[in-house]
Amino acid sequence: MTAPAASLLDRYLASDPRALARALTLAEAGLPAARPLLRAARTRAHRATVLGVTGSPGSGKSTLTGALIATLRAEGKRVAVLAVDPSSPYSGGAILGDRIRMLRHHADPGVFVRSLATRGALGGLSARTMQVLALLEGAGFDWVILETVGVGQSEVDVAAVCDHTLLVLTPAGGDGVQAFKAGIMEIADVIAVNKADLPGADRTVRELMAAQGLGAHDEHTWFAPIRRTIASQDQGMEKLVEAVLKHREHLGEPGLNARRAARAEYEVRSLVQERLMERARVQSRDLYARVARGELDADDVADALVQGDGLPGRGRGAQG
Amino acid sequence: MTAPAASLLDRYLASDPRALARALTLAEAGLPAARPLLRAARTRAHRATVLGVTGSPGSGKSTLTGALIATLRAEGKRVAVLAVDPSSPYSGGAILGDRIRMLRHHADPGVFVRSLATRGALGGLSARTMQVLALLEGAGFDWVILETVGVGQSEVDVAAVCDHTLLVLTPAGGDGVQAFKAGIMEIADVIAVNKADLPGADRTVRELMAAQGLGAHDEHTWFAPIRRTIASQDQGMEKLVEAVLKHREHLGEPGLNARRAARAEYEVRSLVQERLMERARVQSRDLYARVARGELDADDVADALVQGDGLPGRGRGAQG
């Protein structure tokens, strides 16, 4: 095994797209052969700018990602896109439509697209998704764009694992903006008001700026730059790229290292979840039903899973 | 400790609201004294109907919850509300405004309201939130309504932990509905098209029904009933309650037990996460930074956390 893995490693480090595709497949399958590749990706000096693109379906997120790629390619940058559908148990099909919009770049060797329809143990991004992301990050691309499909926790998770989070909004429906104020706005590093040719764009920008002023802030606070875009016409993309790079400067090396550590933390926790789910599955088929019936304490079961012991006896802790 | 805990247990089982409040405080604090109460709550024959109310801010979710309570009270039902803000690290204040709308019931002894601003280890609902919910479920109420504030993963998590999930939508913005189609609609057991006096209500109902038909289904498939409501005028609430009860009948005892087991599973997993986070914190301050730098393998760290061993040495698994 050692010799071909080394050669795969060399080809991966030389940015061979076929080696990369193979490496991603190993990581997706959770094979140990992916480990030296992952380690190489992480120790590499050159790391991509990892941008998460988030926003509700209908905001034009995928079109904007496509336009962003075109702009980055015009600047000679190499770009990888990781499209993830962590909501896959609930929906289906959306990812295909989104991918079709990316086809304008499919013949371009400077653009690499990978789709994953996978879900983490507790929802969100799976450990394998994180490993695919790490391999892309260290594969010699200038940018890696992480895009998720579907609603729900993916928005928050993208922010947890990227260097920069781009939030895509539209002028349509002032209450949409109201909605976002509740929690999503504060995870954005850069905001695109897309479809800016629609009525209400100015008002939306004003509302967003007003909302930013409401939060607690001091001289070190990063206010997400708000940029008008019309992604379907490739408009506003340069300024969006500039805003991301300005945030990168703001983060600096310590900030970027913290973001990378957060990615690693997310990955480790997802791996831990997977192992514990397996342990729970092996221990008892009706483990959780027994907790629900009050036959076992949730705390005792959690202890047993963490310790790797057998299940607690009935009534343990009854004197508590 | 044993004697007062027993007396607290008796008073909790007798539906004494002060004993309940005390029990919830014990559970929130994660104290072992909550365990016998939790066990009693779970072994109790009478269990409340646990309804999760979900929907984006602006849908009138809180107003609808208030109107729902009024309707249930008029039928003589006792109701508990658990308002959770799992997005609290990011936002603040929203929960207060929502609570104010609940004040119409604050003098009613048949209504018990508890707010929690807490977040689980991996986002979502915390283990303690689940234990507060379990205590409310077994406290002798007819209904327990779980309402979350903020966007993001809370929508999906509510569906994971309740008997029934009520999705609140509005006619405003057809693309809002489009958005929800992507993943949230399929977690709904009942759908309220609220603010049904606004233009577009009929179209929204038609679109929702059409969307339902698109999914895979057979004769056992539950199609979430779609009900028009005007919560601000208490309109449509009886039919909403009927729809929930119809879903309860559809679930039957096996279905309800499965939902309760899912709640317990969510709780155990959250507890496990908390323990492992603590273990990771104790083992090394820069654990994840070392993974990010490629000095440790994420898989090895996950193994170490799950086994409770010390950290793996540098380069372990390099022969993989």
Side-chain angles (χ1 to χ4, degrees):
Chain A
M1 285 289 283
T2 313
S7 126
L8 177 63
L9 181 59
D10 290 342
R11 289 189 295 128
Y12 166 79
L13 288 174
S15 302
D16 172 352
R18 288 180 58 197
L20 174 60
R22 173 84 187 127
L24 298 185
T25 301
L26 294 174
E28 272 186 70
L31 294 175
R35 287 188 177 205
L37 295 157
L38 274 165
R39 214 172 303 128
R42 288 183 166 128
T43 47
R44 208 172 190 189
H46 176 84
R47 299 280 200 94
T49 294
V50 180
L51 175 71
V53 181
T54 180
S56 52
S59 62
K61 201 165 61 168
S62 292
T63 309
L64 189 138
T65 300
L68 209 52
I69 296 169
T71 301
L72 292 168
R73 289 299 296 141
E75 296 177 3
K77 306 295 184 195
R78 297 183 62 240
V79 185
V81 179
L82 178 58
V84 178
D85 184 357
S87 63
S88 53
Y90 296 125
S91 68
I95 206 164
L96 183 62
D98 287 331
R99 285 324 94 214
I100 287 168
R101 271 170 273 171
M102 216 80 87
L103 279 184
R104 69 192 263 198
H105 304 293
H106 95 279
D108 180 348
V111 179
F112 185 98
V113 178
R114 187 84 168 205
S115 291
L116 286 178
T118 173
R119 192 159 192 260
L122 271 185
L125 308 172
S126 70
R128 289 168 189 189
T129 299
M130 296 307 299
Q131 297 184 337
V132 166
L133 180 60
L135 287 174
L136 289 171
E137 187 189 355
F141 295 102
D142 298 295
W143 289 64
V144 174
I145 300 177
L146 176 68
E147 192 198 346
T148 59
V149 177
V151 285
Q153 64 201 69
S154 47
E155 314 297 331
V156 177
D157 288 329
V158 163
V161 307
C162 288
D163 294 337
H164 320 282
T165 302
L166 169 64
L167 173 63
V168 187
L169 299 174
T170 72
D175 55 2
V177 175
Q178 287 294 120
F180 274 102
K181 276 184 194 169
I184 288 292
M185 242 193 80
E186 296 172 53
I187 62 174
D189 300 312
V190 175
I191 299 174
V193 175
N194 193 30
K195 305 185 184 182
D197 49 342
L198 292 180
D202 289 341
R203 191 170 57 86
T204 300
V205 171
R206 275 198 312 273
E207 284 175 353
L208 288 168
M209 291 180 73
Q212 285 182 328
L214 293 175
H217 55 268
D218 60 24
E219 70 268 34
H220 304 297
T221 304
W222 173 258
F223 288 103
I226 302 163
R227 299 288 177 260
R228 288 173 180 76
T229 58
I230 310 173
S232 59
Q233 299 168 28
D234 288 332
Q235 283 182 33
M237 291 304 129
E238 292 84 357
K239 286 196 189 307
L240 213 53
V241 171
E242 265 172 39
V244 172
L245 294 177
K246 202 174 139 199
H247 182 246
R248 199 165 184 81
E249 211 172 286
H250 168 81
L251 284 179
E253 211 44 50
L256 283 173
N257 284 333
R259 298 256 171 160
R260 285 168 189 151
R263 276 205 278 289
E265 181 172 356
Y266 194 105
E267 178 185 339
V268 170
R269 291 215 196 143
S270 299
L271 286 168
V272 164
Q273 275 297 322
E274 287 173 16
R275 282 157 173 68
L276 291 171
M277 280 178 73
E278 177 57 22
R279 202 180 260 182
R281 197 187 60 75
V282 169
Q283 286 211 349
S284 166
R285 287 185 71 84
D286 65 345
L287 191 60
Y288 303 118
R290 291 168 68 194
V291 173
R293 289 195 299 266
E295 296 169 15
L296 294 170
D297 284 356
D299 280 281
D300 289 336
V301 171
D303 285 339
L305 288 174
V306 170
Q307 311 299 340
D309 300 340
L311 278 179
R314 169 82 178 88
R316 207 170 96 174
Q319 283 77 38
Chain B
M1 285 288 283
T2 314
S7 128
L8 178 62
L9 180 58
D10 290 342
R11 289 190 294 130
Y12 165 79
L13 289 173
S15 303
D16 171 352
R18 287 181 56 197
L20 173 60
R22 171 85 187 129
L24 299 184
T25 301
L26 293 174
E28 272 186 69
L31 294 175
R35 288 188 175 205
L37 296 156
L38 275 164
R39 214 173 302 128
R42 287 181 166 130
T43 47
R44 210 174 190 188
H46 175 84
R47 300 277 200 96
T49 294
V50 181
L51 175 70
V53 181
T54 181
S56 53
S59 62
K61 200 165 60 167
S62 292
T63 309
L64 189 137
T65 301
L68 210 52
I69 296 169
T71 300
L72 292 167
R73 289 300 294 142
E75 296 176 4
K77 306 296 185 197
R78 297 182 64 239
V79 185
V81 179
L82 178 57
V84 178
D85 184 355
S87 63
S88 54
Y90 295 126
S91 68
I95 206 163
L96 183 62
D98 287 333
R99 284 326 93 213
I100 287 169
R101 271 170 275 171
M102 219 77 89
L103 279 184
R104 67 192 263 198
H105 303 292
H106 94 280
D108 180 348
V111 179
F112 184 97
V113 178
R114 186 85 167 205
S115 292
L116 286 178
T118 174
R119 191 158 193 260
L122 271 187
L125 307 173
S126 70
R128 291 172 186 186
T129 298
M130 295 308 298
Q131 296 185 336
V132 166
L133 180 62
L135 286 174
L136 289 171
E137 186 188 358
F141 295 101
D142 299 295
W143 288 64
V144 174
I145 300 178
L146 176 68
E147 191 199 345
T148 59
V149 177
V151 285
Q153 64 201 72
S154 47
E155 314 297 331
V156 176
D157 288 329
V158 163
V161 306
C162 287
D163 295 336
H164 319 283
T165 301
L166 169 63
L167 173 63
V168 186
L169 299 174
T170 71
D175 55 1
V177 175
Q178 287 293 121
F180 273 102
K181 276 183 194 167
I184 288 291
M185 244 192 78
E186 295 171 56
I187 62 174
D189 300 311
V190 176
I191 299 174
V193 175
N194 194 30
K195 305 185 183 181
D197 48 343
L198 291 180
D202 289 342
R203 191 170 56 87
T204 300
V205 171
R206 277 198 310 275
E207 284 176 354
L208 288 169
M209 292 180 73
Q212 284 182 329
L214 294 174
H217 56 269
D218 60 24
E219 70 268 37
H220 304 296
T221 303
W222 172 258
F223 289 104
I226 302 163
R227 298 290 177 261
R228 289 172 180 77
T229 58
I230 311 174
S232 59
Q233 299 167 28
D234 288 332
Q235 283 184 35
M237 293 303 128
E238 293 83 358
K239 286 197 191 303
L240 212 53
V241 171
E242 266 174 36
V244 172
L245 294 177
K246 202 174 140 200
H247 182 246
R248 198 166 186 79
E249 212 172 285
H250 168 82
L251 284 179
E253 212 44 49
L256 284 173
N257 285 334
R259 298 255 172 161
R260 285 169 189 148
R263 276 205 276 291
E265 180 172 356
Y266 194 106
E267 179 186 337
V268 170
R269 290 214 197 142
S270 300
L271 286 169
V272 164
Q273 274 298 322
E274 288 173 14
R275 283 157 172 68
L276 291 171
M277 279 178 73
E278 177 57 22
R279 202 179 259 182
R281 198 187 59 75
V282 168
Q283 286 210 349
S284 166
R285 287 186 71 84
D286 66 345
L287 192 59
Y288 303 118
R290 290 168 68 194
V291 173
R293 290 195 298 265
E295 296 169 14
L296 294 170
D297 283 357
D299 281 282
D300 289 336
V301 171
D303 285 339
L305 287 174
V306 170
Q307 311 299 340
D309 299 342
L311 278 178
R314 169 81 177 89
R316 208 171 98 175
Q319 281 79 37

